[in-house]
Amino acid sequence: EIKLGVSGGAIVKHIDAEPIVESLALLIRSGGVSLEHLAEFRIKTEGSLVELAALRATKKDITKLETLFNRAKVYYEKNDWENFLKTDEKMHTYIGTMTRNPVFQFVQKTIHDNIHQYYAEYLPMNKKRTLENLTDFEKIINAMKINDAKTASAIIMDHVKRFSDKMQEKTKDKSK
């Protein structure tokens, strides 16, 4: 940054990812990204994220993920789909945190803070869908507990693909 005046000159400003995060968030919220593009991106990135998170997970990380999972189960039992989805988003976001990579953390948080609108419109939750989601996360957590990064990665990639396919089917139904 260049400052003018007596005390001015070239100074190094703190590097902040916020402009990138805001741009990505706006792109998602504006609908400037198709569900297909978002799904493709999520399948690839979340597969890598989960793999890295499984390799780097501490016992504290696993405990935190299990706490979120147990909270999601409570919402499942209450048929509280809104809070279930919010907790699901927190689980996905926390996996980004587990990577210990700030770039992954920013991207994961930005995506999951902004895709809620897609779920509301294209993937209304119900008992069956929510149980499927919980089952996937239970398998991911179990794989992470034994540092089975490849299995955890394969599960999340399949999870994102299946749920994305369901949303895309709904978009096709709406366009008819």
Side-chain angles (χ1 to χ4, degrees):
E1 181 177 322
I2 306 294
K3 280 190 166 190
L4 301 175
V6 178
S7 65
I11 61 165
V12 176
K13 189 177 174 183
H14 174 73
I15 297 174
D16 188 0
E18 193 60 34
I20 296 166
V21 168
E22 286 176 20
S23 294
L24 180 57
L26 279 171
L27 186 64
I28 294 168
R29 283 195 309 263
S30 72
V33 176
S34 71
L35 281 174
E36 187 174 56
H37 290 136
L38 192 56
E40 182 179 61
F41 180 79
R42 285 188 61 213
I43 290 165
K44 295 296 184 186
T45 56
E46 290 198 44
S48 297
L49 281 165
V50 169
E51 188 172 353
L52 197 55
L55 293 171
R56 295 179 176 172
T58 64
K59 287 184 192 228
K60 185 178 174 185
D61 288 331
I62 299 295
T63 300
K64 169 80 175 178
L65 201 54
E66 285 178 317
T67 300
L68 289 168
F69 174 80
N70 289 329
R71 188 178 309 152
K73 275 177 34 179
V74 169
Y75 292 131
Y76 165 77
E77 294 298 330
K78 293 180 177 179
N79 297 327
D80 183 347
W81 312 135
E82 182 68 22
N83 283 311
F84 176 87
L85 280 174
K86 287 178 182 175
T87 305
D88 174 71
E89 290 165 9
K90 286 178 185 173
M91 287 190 289
H92 281 274
T93 299
Y94 191 70
I95 289 170
T97 301
M98 291 168 67
T99 67
R100 310 287 188 273
N101 181 320
V103 177
F104 284 142
Q105 291 170 17
F106 283 128
V107 169
Q108 191 75 337
K109 181 165 179 23
T110 302
I111 288 172
H112 287 281
D113 283 354
N114 291 285
I115 61 173
H116 201 85
Q117 69 186 24
Y118 289 107
Y119 296 140
E121 188 170 350
Y122 299 111
L123 193 67
M125 296 309 280
N126 57 38
K127 204 76 165 168
K128 182 181 175 189
R129 236 177 234 143
T130 309
L131 181 59
E132 183 180 353
N133 193 320
L134 280 172
T135 302
D136 290 345
F137 259 97
E138 185 172 35
K139 290 176 185 175
I140 290 164
I141 292 168
N142 288 336
M144 286 181 161
K145 282 180 178 179
I146 58 171
N147 297 102
D148 187 351
K150 294 290 182 202
T151 297
S153 176
I155 295 166
I156 197 73
M157 287 170 41
D158 179 62
H159 169 85
V160 173
K161 182 175 181 346
R162 273 185 287 115
F163 279 85
S164 294
D165 287 349
K166 289 172 190 186
M167 285 194 286
Q168 287 179 35
E169 284 173 25
K170 188 84 169 183
T171 61
K172 288 174 188 168
D173 291 344
K174 282 189 170 200
S175 65
K176 288 180 182 177

